[in-house]
Amino acid sequence: MALRVTFVAAARSSPLLAERFEDDRPLDTAGWDEVQHVAHELVPLAAAELRYCSPTPRSRATGDALGYAPLVQLALRDCDMGRWRGLTLGEAMAREPDQVDAWLADPRATPHGGESLLGFISRVGGWLDTRPVGDGDRIVAVAEPSVIRAALVYALKAPPSTYWNIDVRPLSTTTVTGRGGRWNLRFDPASAQTSRT
């Protein structure tokens, strides 16, 4: 049986240029407004048999606002950024430019003392591969954009450097179908966005 896992990117908690590593701030006013604006398109995903979310406040709040009542999954947490946690990329670059360059260039590097990009992708992929078959074929997961990027790199068996070329916008949806180790990226027509069940 093939699974259908639809990722919903959490609404924002800050302007894109002010995003911080492992940001655990709640939704800002603009984020709440965006959820209300697109809720009619995303609420039908609540019909999924299994509903999950990242442990961040904005992921949980997004899932709750959409009526998903999602179960928090620690494996869907953001990449552990060690001593860079809470910094923007610009702030980390100003403090440790050589270490940031090393981290961006090598998916195995952990100059921040946290998790490597490769480790992060593998962790998220491991979660994807262990979704229970037989408990329902439709799954929705509200997650941080970084988590969705990692899931896509894993699902497509793409080189880790592909992670930097994927742009996941707040409240966008991305669907993969398949099961353990065999995933396909699925694009639905616009008309199907509001009729998913």
Side-chain angles (χ1 to χ4, degrees):
M1 170 187 287
L3 297 175
R4 178 185 172 119
V5 182
T6 300
F7 289 98
V8 177
R12 64 189 172 128
S13 58
S14 63
L16 290 177
L17 293 177
E19 284 193 3
R20 300 183 174 279
F21 294 127
E22 291 187 85
D23 193 349
D24 61 0
R25 291 177 290 172
L27 294 182
D28 62 12
T29 303
W32 281 110
D33 291 345
E34 289 169 354
V35 170
Q36 298 307 312
H37 182 72
V38 300
H40 67 283
E41 296 175 16
L42 299 177
V43 165
L45 291 171
E49 289 89 355
L50 299 171
R51 297 171 304 281
Y52 301 114
C53 71
S54 294
T56 61
R58 73 180 187 170
S59 291
R60 292 192 314 264
T62 300
D64 288 341
L66 294 171
Y68 299 169
L71 178 64
V72 171
Q73 298 285 282
L74 292 179
L76 293 180
R77 68 191 179 282
D78 209 341
C79 186
D80 176 356
M81 296 305 292
R83 68 179 171 274
W84 296 347
R85 183 177 195 272
L87 300 178
T88 65
L89 178 60
E91 290 168 345
M93 183 65 90
R95 292 179 187 186
E96 302 181 47
D98 293 340
Q99 289 84 353
V100 172
D101 286 343
W103 174 67
L104 292 172
D106 181 359
R108 290 180 174 79
T110 58
H112 44 58
E115 186 176 27
S116 71
L117 178 62
L118 192 57
F120 175 48
I121 292 167
S122 295
R123 171 171 46 86
V124 173
W127 177 87
L128 190 61
D129 281 349
T130 57
R131 290 311 82 215
V133 176
D135 286 346
D137 63 344
R138 293 173 301 160
I139 297 171
V140 65
V142 180
E144 297 301 310
S146 59
V147 172
I148 298 170
R149 290 161 63 191
L152 290 174
V153 170
Y154 182 84
L156 296 174
K157 297 182 170 113
S161 61
T162 306
Y163 177 87
W164 305 115
N165 301 106
I166 299 173
D167 186 18
V168 177
R169 308 302 289 177
L171 297 169
S172 62
T173 61
T174 306
T175 300
V176 295
T177 60
R179 59 190 167 138
R182 300 188 67 166
W183 297 99
N184 299 299
L185 183 58
R186 178 176 172 142
F187 294 99
D188 288 318
S191 60
Q193 299 299 314
T194 56
S195 61
R196 290 188 212 128
T197 57

